[in-house]
Amino acid sequence: MTVSVPLSARGAVVLVAALCVAPMVAAQSKVASPAAKGLIGAPGGEMPALSVVEWLQRMHTASRQRSYAGTFVVSAAGGNLSSARIWHVCEGNFQFERVEVLSGPPRSTFRRNDHVMTFLPEAKIVKSEKRENLELFPNLLGAPDSAIDNYYSARIAGKDRVAGFDADVVQLEPRDSLRFGYRIWSERRSGLVVKLQTLDGENRVIEQSAFSELQLDAPVKAQALAQMMASTAGYKVEKSELERSTPAQEGWGLRAPIAGFKPVSCYKRAMGAAAGGEQGHTMQWIFSDGLATVSLFVEPYDVKHQPREVLLALGATNTLTRKLTNKDGDWWLTVVGEVPPQTLDAFAQSLVRAR
């Protein structure tokens, strides 16, 4: 069963995702590959051939070094549209962002490195959480010699202008059917991503994100964003507590790895009234191939709610839900990722109770 979900449900996370603010170790955020260094700030003209890793490193470096402000628009193949105003500033090793959603229910999201606070003015609630893996694009796993080019190839697809800026159009093509392709508009001088299309196996656009207006090197003040982020008077602050864990500790494993997807992290989260019980929590197991991210959520099956097994399509994000039964009980699996449905099914088929 495939269900189309309104794009606005993705909210600020999707809008920030195409800004290529990848979570990488501190050393990587300071040092680009030699090829990327030679390109940053280069004048317009023909671009030399670069590998997938070199292109992504260039884009990532631009996002870490440049401040900007602009209006960002996300659209899906079904015609759904969402937009937001974004302010981004880099100050030393700190990254600050403010995302003000312009469509749907009002919402403001602030990020200081991995600390994210989302203000919901209608409910007078602020959701505070830590996100080590922000699931942002491009989500590079390791150093520039990453194996990501085993699963994607890169080529120059042309030149264009976006929001008044000259851009190189880069095509990232998957080498198998387990992942989507991407067409990326990289601002000529800085390398910053100004437009992104996610492509299916037939090279059709299933989701597009782009700046409609952009100011590079905008006078955004980190201190001002920090003050706004701390202004919670009149709001109820709800903290989401994640506890680091491992699949082995939670009693889960994979029968076989899914090609290209490496485990990134694993957490468990208390489940309300069931918190403190042996099975009163949800496990989140996160995988990435260096670009796309897949999360497996496993929790005890609640017979009172009797959820349906479905496949949800939301732009480039697919969600699969499934009931699992084994000797120690019933479980509810939710698999979410910016990947084709068959990839989610492969994860669901491979997940196994390990104890």
Side-chain angles (χ1 to χ4, degrees):
M1 174 179 179
T2 301
V3 181
S4 294
V5 181
L7 184 66
S8 58
R10 296 187 71 183
V13 174
V14 174
L15 292 165
V16 179
L19 300 181
C20 70
V21 189
M24 298 176 70
V25 296
Q28 286 177 261
S29 68
K30 296 177 182 178
V31 182
S33 67
K37 281 186 175 181
L39 289 170
I40 295 298
E46 295 299 323
M47 296 294 294
L50 300 179
S51 69
V52 173
V53 173
E54 289 169 335
W55 271 114
L56 296 178
Q57 185 65 67
R58 181 174 192 258
M59 296 169 190
H60 169 74
T61 302
S63 73
R64 305 290 293 190
Q65 294 180 349
R66 305 297 289 266
S67 296
Y68 49 85
T71 301
F72 209 71
V73 179
V74 178
S75 59
N80 294 309
L81 194 69
S82 184
S83 61
R85 180 71 182 171
I86 299 173
W87 296 262
H88 175 89
V89 61
C90 312
E91 194 170 273
N93 290 327
F94 292 98
Q95 301 282 313
F96 290 86
E97 279 179 348
R98 174 190 174 193
V99 180
E100 193 79 25
V101 173
L102 302 177
S103 52
R107 181 173 63 254
S108 299
T109 300
F110 293 85
R111 180 176 72 86
R112 181 178 183 269
N113 286 354
D114 63 351
H115 184 200
V116 178
M117 295 184 69
T118 302
F119 288 71
L120 305 172
E122 291 183 343
K124 291 298 180 182
I125 291 175
V126 176
K127 295 184 179 293
S128 177
E129 59 185 321
K130 295 283 187 179
R131 294 184 191 167
E132 281 191 12
N133 186 342
L134 297 176
E135 301 183 354
L136 305 181
F137 184 91
N139 192 11
L140 290 176
L141 286 175
D145 61 351
S146 165
I148 190 172
D149 55 3
N150 291 333
Y151 303 99
Y152 297 90
S153 62
R155 63 180 177 85
I156 291 288
K159 301 177 182 179
D160 202 356
R161 280 174 59 80
V162 177
F165 291 90
D166 292 328
D168 295 296
V169 185
V170 185
Q171 187 102 357
L172 300 186
E173 298 174 336
R175 300 185 187 276
D176 59 29
S177 61
L178 292 175
R179 56 211 95 230
F180 290 131
Y182 301 95
R183 189 178 295 124
I184 309 170
W185 281 251
S186 174
E187 198 272 320
R188 181 74 49 80
R189 297 184 63 84
S190 68
L192 188 71
V193 173
V194 292
K195 181 176 177 180
L196 167 70
Q197 291 179 341
T198 305
L199 312 173
D200 67 11
E202 303 297 324
N203 219 31
R204 295 173 299 199
V205 178
I206 54 176
E207 184 171 286
Q208 175 173 288
S209 311
F211 280 105
S212 61
E213 175 270 326
L214 174 65
Q215 181 183 3
L216 281 177
D217 300 321
V220 183
K221 300 297 183 182
Q223 183 178 1
L225 295 187
Q227 290 175 345
M228 296 174 71
M229 186 174 181
S231 299
T232 59
Y235 284 81
K236 177 185 176 181
V237 179
E238 297 182 349
K239 292 186 178 180
S240 178
E241 300 295 339
L242 292 177
E243 181 181 345
R244 188 181 291 275
S245 185
T246 67
Q249 289 175 338
E250 301 305 310
W252 296 95
L254 294 182
R255 293 187 180 90
I258 310 304
F261 287 91
K262 302 176 183 178
V264 176
S265 54
C266 181
Y267 302 95
K268 64 180 181 179
R269 184 198 306 266
M271 291 179 59
E278 182 66 23
Q279 297 178 348
H281 63 266
T282 299
M283 178 192 77
Q284 180 184 9
W285 193 2
I286 304 170
F287 295 80
S288 178
D289 68 353
L291 284 179
T293 301
V294 175
S295 286
L296 279 63
F297 297 88
V298 184
E299 60 189 81
Y301 180 77
D302 188 348
V303 68
K304 295 180 181 178
H305 290 91
Q306 295 182 334
R308 294 184 302 162
E309 296 188 352
V310 297
L311 175 64
L312 305 177
L314 177 58
T317 300
N318 286 295
T319 302
L320 178 150
T321 59
R322 186 168 295 176
K323 182 181 177 181
L324 305 177
T325 300
N326 52 54
K327 61 182 181 181
D328 60 352
D330 295 331
W331 304 85
W332 188 249
L333 169 66
T334 302
V335 192
V336 183
E338 310 87 11
V339 293
Q342 62 264 29
T343 308
L344 302 186
D345 185 66
F347 273 101
Q349 295 287 348
S350 186
L351 185 67
V352 62
R353 192 69 173 152
R355 69 181 179 196

